[in-house]
Amino acid sequence: MQNIFFRYNRDRKEAFLETIKYTILVVAMLVLIRSVPVFSLSALILPSVLALITYRNGMAFAFISSLITAIAASVFMDPIIVIYTVFTIGGVGMITGELSYRKRKPALAIFGGAFMVTLNILLLMYAQARMMNVDLVDYITNIYRESFEMQKEMMGLDMDVETFLLNLRRTFPGMVVCMGFAVSAVNYFLSGMMLSKITKKREIATLSEFTLPGNVFGGMLIIYLMTALLNYTDFVYKETLILNLTIILGMLFFLQGIAAINNFMSRRLRPVARNIITVLLCTFMPFYTFVVAIGFVDAVMNLRRLKK
């Protein structure tokens, strides 16, 4: 039986020193993020460092790293934010690293990380509501309201701000889950790249090998049949539920589409060009529908001939 806390093939002293080195990197990144807000998005990739520690040294060293990070971050961050940050970084990192070490399929590691991100956001919302009387959804909605009102006045735009904000509130649950999948996927594949650089060999599956579980369509059918039954009930949020399910499934097919396109490009393009195109496809919204369509076709027909 594999030991999830320590790696028997690693010297404890060497593992500890490596863990401290990577922990200093994480803390330094948090200080940079706190000092220079423009680097805030870089916080989303910090779980990959904990995944690296977990994969190479075990969950015990990852836990030590998370604890040290929490103590250091508490000096310059609010307690609730510290807890949320450490649980997200440590939780996603440990799940990703351990499942990767056990050679589980990429989808399982990504689903596990997405669950952890979503759970942490829900706990953060609950903590803020209970301790600070702040509704996170209302807080975000008010930020968007102020931003759009300013743009409307400065640029003379004709936009229905309240309709947009209503749709934002309706799709917030789906957006949170999608963010969980995005954060988890980015960290999974980034940790794989870092491991390959360190060990000089491929340790975990690449982006082009990602595929949704074979039973995903059965699950989709059951979910949509259940939501269709809501039309015959007095459930008032059925349209919101269907909308959020569609958003989440769209995100899953987007990941499948990116993986399929990356697989096709790997046969013809060098890594640098392939990575640039992948980033462009993930960044610009006009490509979203195209990528989702590719993902759906690949999920149905298994264009890459991968074992699911």
Side-chain angles (χ1 to χ4, degrees):
M1 183 177 178
Q2 299 183 57
N3 191 327
I4 67 172
F5 296 106
F6 300 100
R7 303 290 182 242
Y8 292 128
N9 60 340
R10 293 280 288 171
D11 177 75
R12 296 287 174 86
K13 181 179 179 180
E14 180 184 350
F16 180 75
L17 292 176
E18 183 180 80
T19 298
I20 294 299
K21 178 178 67 176
Y22 289 133
T23 303
I24 292 173
L25 174 63
V26 172
V27 174
M29 286 297 298
L30 289 176
V31 172
L32 180 63
I33 292 166
R34 180 70 174 179
S35 305
V36 187
V38 72
F39 290 105
S40 296
L41 285 177
S42 61
L44 300 178
I45 63 173
L46 291 180
S48 61
V49 182
L50 270 295
L52 188 65
I53 294 173
T54 305
Y55 187 96
R56 287 175 57 79
N57 304 324
M59 293 184 69
F61 286 102
F63 178 78
I64 292 171
S65 176
S66 298
L67 185 61
I68 295 173
T69 301
I71 295 172
S74 63
V75 176
F76 54 89
M77 297 175 69
D78 295 331
I80 292 181
I81 303 301
V82 170
I83 294 172
Y84 166 74
T85 302
V86 172
F87 268 80
T88 301
I89 295 174
V92 175
M94 283 189 272
I95 289 175
T96 301
E98 187 59 33
L99 291 177
S100 300
Y101 182 77
R102 291 171 178 269
K103 306 303 179 186
R104 298 294 192 263
K105 292 184 177 181
L108 180 60
I110 291 173
F111 273 64
F115 172 79
M116 182 58 68
V117 173
T118 305
L119 178 63
N120 286 339
I121 292 176
L122 291 176
L123 292 176
L124 175 64
M125 293 173 63
Y126 177 79
Q128 287 188 322
R130 296 284 294 179
M131 299 174 61
M132 304 173 63
N133 294 322
V134 175
D135 188 320
L136 185 61
V137 180
D138 287 338
Y139 179 74
I140 294 173
T141 302
N142 288 332
I143 291 176
Y144 273 101
R145 178 181 283 107
E146 292 176 6
S147 174
F148 280 116
E149 289 293 349
M150 289 177 60
Q151 294 181 45
K152 190 175 181 180
E153 293 179 6
M154 294 175 61
M155 302 179 183
L157 299 177
D158 183 17
M159 60 171 64
D160 190 345
V161 177
E162 293 305 321
T163 300
F164 173 84
L165 295 177
L166 177 61
N167 290 331
L168 177 65
R169 293 185 67 91
R170 292 178 62 195
T171 59
F172 185 78
M175 293 298 182
V176 168
V177 176
C178 287
M179 187 180 76
F181 277 111
V183 171
S184 183
V186 168
N187 281 281
Y188 177 85
F189 296 115
L190 184 58
S191 62
M193 292 172 59
M194 291 192 295
L195 280 167
S196 298
K197 294 292 184 182
I198 294 172
T199 62
K200 306 301 180 183
K201 62 179 181 179
R202 198 187 74 171
E203 296 284 349
I204 64 177
T206 61
L207 173 60
S208 59
E209 295 173 288
F210 171 82
T211 184
L212 294 172
N215 58 357
V216 67
F217 285 103
M220 285 174 53
L221 180 61
I222 292 172
I223 290 172
Y224 272 104
L225 285 175
M226 290 176 65
T227 52
L229 291 175
L230 294 177
N231 290 320
Y232 302 96
T233 69
D234 295 328
F235 186 64
V236 296
Y237 299 111
K238 54 181 177 291
E239 292 182 359
T240 300
L241 178 61
I242 294 173
L243 179 61
N244 282 280
L245 287 173
T246 302
I247 291 172
I248 294 170
L249 292 173
M251 182 64 187
L252 294 178
F253 286 124
F254 181 82
L255 290 176
Q256 177 100 1
I258 285 291
I261 293 171
N262 205 269
N263 180 273
F264 301 143
M265 292 192 299
S266 65
R267 306 171 191 175
R268 298 173 178 82
L269 299 177
R270 294 182 179 275
V272 175
R274 189 168 70 244
N275 291 337
I276 291 174
I277 293 175
T278 301
V279 171
L280 291 175
L281 290 174
C282 294
T283 304
F284 292 98
M285 286 302 295
F287 297 120
Y288 176 80
T289 304
F290 168 75
V291 175
V292 169
I294 294 293
F296 181 81
V297 172
D298 182 62
V300 174
M301 303 180 65
N302 193 15
L303 300 176
R304 294 170 287 166
R305 300 293 184 266
L306 297 176
K307 293 182 179 180
K308 296 190 178 183

